[in-house]
Amino acid sequence: ELREWERRLLRAATDATPSYVVEPKVDGLSISVAYRDGLLVSGVTRGDGEQGEVVTSNVRTIRSVPLRLARDGVAALEARGEAYMPRPAFERLNRERLEAGEPPFANPRNAAAGTVRLLDPRITASRRLDCYFYELAALDGELPERHADGLALLRELGLKTNPLNAVCEDLRQVRDTIAEIERRRGKLPYETDGAVIKVNELALRREAGSTSKFPRWAVAYKFPAQQATTVVLEIAVQVGRTGALTPVALLEPVQLAGTTVSRATLHNEEEVERKDVRVGDTVLIEKAGEIIPQVVKVVTARRPKSARRFAMPDRCPVCNAPAVKEEGEVARRCSNTASCPAQRREALLHFAGRGAMDIQGLGEALVDQLLAQDLVRDIAGLYDLEAERLSELPRMGEKSAANLLGQLEASKQRPLRRVINALGIRHVGERGAAVLAQALGSLERLAEATEEQLTGIAEIGPKTAAAVTSFFRQPANHELIERLRRAGVRTVADPSELRAAVPSDSPFAGKTVVLTGTLPGMARSQARARIEALGGKVSGSVSKNTDLVVAGEEAGSKLDRARELGIEVLTPEQFRERLGADKTFSGG
């Protein structure tokens, strides 16, 4: 795969002999810092890819982020780095949380992300975050022509870079460097799941360009997932926000990828049967995507005679309502959608999540307290909370209560796409919520939409449409949304969220388009925006569902695939002709 990436790179950037920089892929939270006249003026997270969070006060507490650059004469600089929690600090923090009766963090990445976003910088300072910088993003004057020189300048100015970074002249040296990082992986003070390989020469990066999603001049190399063996002590069943019952293996605690693992998902009852996982079995586990522990297989040679088969319950283990398995579904679901305590808990956590209403401070421990004290029964009830009652909760106090109420007040202005996502409608994630917000513009119109109308929206399929109409058929959900509206939550899209009306004669309406190669005089993002504005969908890969391929200069394997499938291919000139009737396109 690495060799194939290099072949694609050389096709995109002709007559080039690149060198590479290999960097450990540190598992933390990406941040960007800005300096003006040598002084740190801002620290921002990457956020959701469109909008980050200003966390300057917390970034100032990270010792490896200097408040002043090491030498004068730099009027403006921006650098990107990875804030992470070193393993010793992570282990100490989890010990303290357990002693305080709080749930431990699942991994150092979650701990770092939560710490950077805390409201109190003093707590951030006490958790001893660290940071490696990996990109000189902007500089008054010209950037160095080589990435390695940019890293050297960052070090010279006092910004810490990873000592394992290496310049490699060819792919053989790249492989040797990756192997060395993997060999040292277990002894590093941070979590890493691979390495990042980048073209060193910035001019070559510009020539290579990017696809609709990724730069052609960089690639991530992932290490094989770390594995461990342990014993299944019990198989429990947890209930999610949509009522899905998920079997979970409770394990004899074992160290895996830097954390102590005592639970692993078994996904669903069919998966349990397929792998034949029994209570008492010795199992091999790994972290899916280095985050979620899962059972890979059973070590049947070590199965004891007392091993016990698992039977999925036909009733919800939390509220005892019937657990129903619909035709075509893998999961059983609790039928008590209105008042199952487990579903209410997960619904509140989802509502407060980063991709939804982003209510900082409303985590698992506080949600459990609110439910136990009967202060909240559903998501709309969050906006009825009062400072006096909140401040009486354990580990809250007046300041924490005021901070939470401030977060709730700020969440009322979240864009409609986030509000739709926060409702927790089945099959509607962040992308689906954005599409619905763009197409319909308000919760009222979404509630009134028929399945036929919804499936007429690009990217909304029959399952999603059925789930949306089913959600709004329930009177309780109409009442819920009315309460949110009365509380002041945004239920109408901001003009910037709305999709312009698609002309009836649009040549792209309802079509799936793939862009490949460089389009002269037109940025890829601009071409994508025009296609989507004219009712089309831009895909990153060619398949039998592709309607058109726009092939620019140095088009690669996607063009070959389009020809194999007999898909219509447009040259840049033909593409411009089809856009020509649209007066909003200037071509520059």
Side-chain angles (χ1 to χ4, degrees), residues 426-439:
R426 280 187 69 193
H427 305 306
V428 178
E430 290 186 40
R431 176 59 186 166
V435 169
L436 291 170
Q438 288 175 339

Side-chain angles (χ1 to χ4, degrees), residues 256-305:
L256 178 62
T259 60
T260 300
V261 175
S262 57
R263 298 165 63 92
T265 181
L266 293 167
H267 301 292
N268 54 64
E269 59 185 306
E270 290 184 8
E271 190 74 356
V272 177
E273 292 175 7
R274 186 181 70 81
K275 292 178 178 175
D276 191 19
V277 182
R278 307 182 189 182
V279 176
D281 272 340
T282 296
V283 291
L284 183 70
I285 64 170
E286 70 178 25
K287 287 189 178 180
E290 295 294 317
I291 299 175
I292 304 170
Q294 64 178 2
V295 172
V296 178
K297 66 176 182 179
V298 175
V299 185
T300 52
R302 296 170 64 177
R303 169 172 287 165
K305 292 181 179 180

Side-chain angles (χ1 to χ4, degrees), residues 205-466:
R205 291 185 181 187
R206 290 189 290 269
E207 186 180 353
S210 302
T211 68
S212 58
K213 293 184 179 180
F214 306 109
R216 290 192 180 93
W217 47 263
V219 68
Y221 182 99
K222 291 294 192 77
F223 298 140
Q226 294 183 357
Q227 298 181 328
T229 54
T230 185
V231 175
V232 178
L233 302 177
E234 190 56 73
I235 297 178
V237 176
Q238 65 183 25
V239 183
R241 64 178 173 84
T242 62
L245 273 59
T246 302
V248 178
L250 307 183
L251 307 169
E252 201 170 85
V254 63
Q255 283 292 118
L256 178 62
T259 60
T260 300
V261 175
S262 57
R263 298 165 63 92
T265 181
L266 293 167
H267 301 292
N268 54 64
E269 59 185 306
E270 290 184 8
E271 190 74 356
V272 177
E273 292 175 7
R274 186 181 70 81
K275 292 178 178 175
D276 191 19
V277 182
R278 307 182 189 182
V279 176
D281 272 340
T282 296
V283 291
L284 183 70
I285 64 170
E286 70 178 25
K287 287 189 178 180
E290 295 294 317
I291 299 175
I292 304 170
Q294 64 178 2
V295 172
V296 178
K297 66 176 182 179
V298 175
V299 185
T300 52
R302 296 170 64 177
R303 169 172 287 165
K305 292 181 179 180
S306 58
R308 190 172 76 252
R309 287 184 178 275
F310 168 74
M312 197 72 174
D314 57 9
R315 305 191 76 83
C316 173
V318 177
C319 70
N320 203 39
V324 181
K325 189 174 183 180
E326 297 178 9
E327 186 177 352
E329 291 275 332
V330 173
R332 293 179 188 264
R333 297 183 187 276
C334 170
S335 57
N336 182 15
T337 56
S339 56
C340 175
Q343 292 187 61
R344 282 193 291 177
R345 178 183 189 270
E346 295 304 317
L348 287 167
L349 290 170
H350 174 76
F351 187 81
R354 290 186 64 188
M357 303 301 275
D358 196 16
I359 304 169
Q360 296 180 40
L362 188 59
E364 293 184 1
L366 182 53
V367 166
D368 288 340
Q369 289 186 72
L370 294 175
L371 290 172
Q373 298 292 324
D374 202 26
L375 295 180
V376 169
R377 295 193 175 186
D378 55 32
I379 57 177
L382 291 168
Y383 297 100
D384 297 327
L385 290 171
E386 299 175 349
E388 184 177 355
R389 292 294 306 276
L390 280 171
S391 61
E392 293 172 354
L393 295 174
R395 294 185 295 278
M396 277 296 285
E398 293 182 6
K399 184 175 180 181
S400 295
N403 286 339
L404 178 62
L405 292 177
Q407 286 287 312
L408 285 165
E409 188 63 30
S411 74
K412 295 177 183 180
Q413 298 307 311
R414 300 290 184 248
L416 180 62
R417 61 186 171 85
R418 284 178 175 254
V419 177
I420 295 173
N421 182 32
L423 294 176
I425 303 170
R426 280 187 69 193
H427 305 306
V428 178
E430 290 186 40
R431 176 59 186 166
V435 169
L436 291 170
Q438 288 175 339
L440 297 171
S442 72
L443 280 184
E444 182 180 14
R445 290 189 63 194
L446 180 61
E448 294 172 350
T450 64
E451 284 191 43
E452 184 179 8
Q453 289 170 329
L454 291 169
T455 53
I457 299 171
E459 299 186 55
I460 301 300
K463 288 179 69 173
T464 301

Side-chain angles (χ1 to χ4, degrees), residues 502-511 531 534-536:
V502 176
S504 58
D505 59 349
S506 167
F508 297 102
K511 294 187 177 181
I531 292 168
L534 291 170

